[in-house]
Amino acid sequence: MGKRVALVLAGCGVFDGSEIHEASAALVHLSRGGAEVKIFAPNIEQRDVVNHLKGCPTEEKRNVLVESARLARGSIQDLAELKASEFDAVIFPGGFGVAKNLCSWAVDGKNCTVNEHVNSTLQAFHSAKKPIGLCCISPVLAAKVFPGCEVTVGQDKNVDGRFPDAETASAIAELGCKHICKNVNESHVDKANKIVTTCAFMCKAPLHEIFDGIGTMVQEVLKLA
């Protein structure tokens, strides 16, 4: 019987929601791993709505659950309904929506607050000793909720211009967590906390390398489950 995995989305689109390629990659690797997946998102208003063609905010108002339903092909539930007891693991793809909608990292950095249902979901899986997978900017959720944990968002220096957001690693360290430097095609496993992270689009890399890195994260999550 396949592992039961909850996938939590933050909208639809890299600049104001979930990063579509990351969400798709996670779903492909979960499917290949024989997992039974259900998708969730918080039923809240987005912090902002970005015109992805022009790269600028608009005056629109959109709902995170409604937008996430685009990625879920309509098969999605309110995050408030997620019960950790019904799943073996949870995975959070990245995208700026994580830092805007699931928490306030985009505005407040390490002083951010985490959405109540996101926080309770993370706490529930952690308390039940069930694995948590996070990619791209999503590891900051673990860094905020679980002081002392180990995560990766890639490198802590902007090596060859490939890691423009390397300062995120320093902010994670300031939260009392340990940042582990990893390449884009790798993931890090915090065995004590059952947290698996990979940097994905925090690195400027070919899409297939990002896809492979997410694959290692998914594989490690399924092993822990």
Side-chain angles (χ1 to χ4, degrees):
M1 183 177 177
K3 302 298 182 182
R4 301 163 301 169
V5 180
L7 188 82
V8 181
L9 298 179
C12 182
V14 59
F15 298 128
D16 58 13
S18 288
E19 211 296 320
I20 294 170
H21 297 297
E22 291 179 14
S24 178
L27 287 166
V28 170
H29 287 296
L30 285 166
S31 176
R32 184 171 287 152
E36 177 188 338
V37 181
K38 289 189 178 180
I39 305 175
F40 297 84
N43 186 10
I44 57 174
E45 188 176 291
Q46 290 184 190
R47 177 174 290 275
D48 63 9
V49 177
V50 176
N51 180 322
H52 280 59
L53 179 62
K54 296 181 179 179
C56 60
T58 72
E59 296 301 316
E60 289 182 67
K61 302 292 183 186
R62 296 192 185 186
N63 178 280
V64 174
L65 179 58
V66 172
E67 290 301 295
S68 297
R70 295 174 180 271
L71 280 171
R73 296 172 62 87
S75 182
I76 193 168
Q77 293 173 259
D78 187 336
L79 183 59
E81 299 173 5
L82 195 162
K83 295 180 177 63
S85 60
E86 297 178 355
F87 295 90
D88 301 302
V90 64
I91 289 178
F92 289 75
F96 279 111
V98 172
K100 291 178 175 180
N101 305 325
L102 303 192
C103 70
S104 63
W105 187 278
V107 176
D108 302 318
K110 67 180 189 299
N111 298 315
C112 71
T113 56
V114 178
N115 171 273
E116 62 174 317
H117 296 303
V118 173
N119 183 72
S120 62
T121 294
L122 290 167
Q123 294 282 10
F125 277 86
H126 188 259
S127 296
K129 294 181 168 42
K130 294 179 177 181
I132 298 167
L134 308 117
C135 64
C136 195
I137 192 63
S138 291
V140 302
L141 295 172
K144 187 66 181 181
V145 176
F146 307 118
C149 72
E150 298 177 356
V151 299
T152 188
V153 289
Q155 300 291 322
D156 56 11
K157 294 181 178 62
N158 190 8
V159 183
D160 299 325
R162 298 178 75 214
F163 294 89
D165 301 304
E167 70 276 3
T168 304
S170 298
I172 285 170
E174 289 175 18
L175 284 169
C177 299
K178 186 174 183 180
H179 180 266
I180 310 297
C181 290
K182 290 287 184 177
N183 292 321
V184 66
N185 60 345
E186 300 175 314
S187 57
H188 176 70
V189 181
D190 178 346
K191 293 181 180 177
N193 291 293
K194 290 195 171 183
I195 296 170
V196 188
T197 51
T198 189
C199 70
F201 278 99
M202 294 292 276
C203 176
K204 291 185 175 180
L207 183 58
H208 71 278
E209 292 183 12
I210 293 165
F211 181 88
D212 291 345
I214 293 171
T216 68
M217 180 267 287
V218 169
Q219 289 166 17
E220 294 295 341
V221 165
L222 294 179
K223 283 181 191 175
L224 289 172

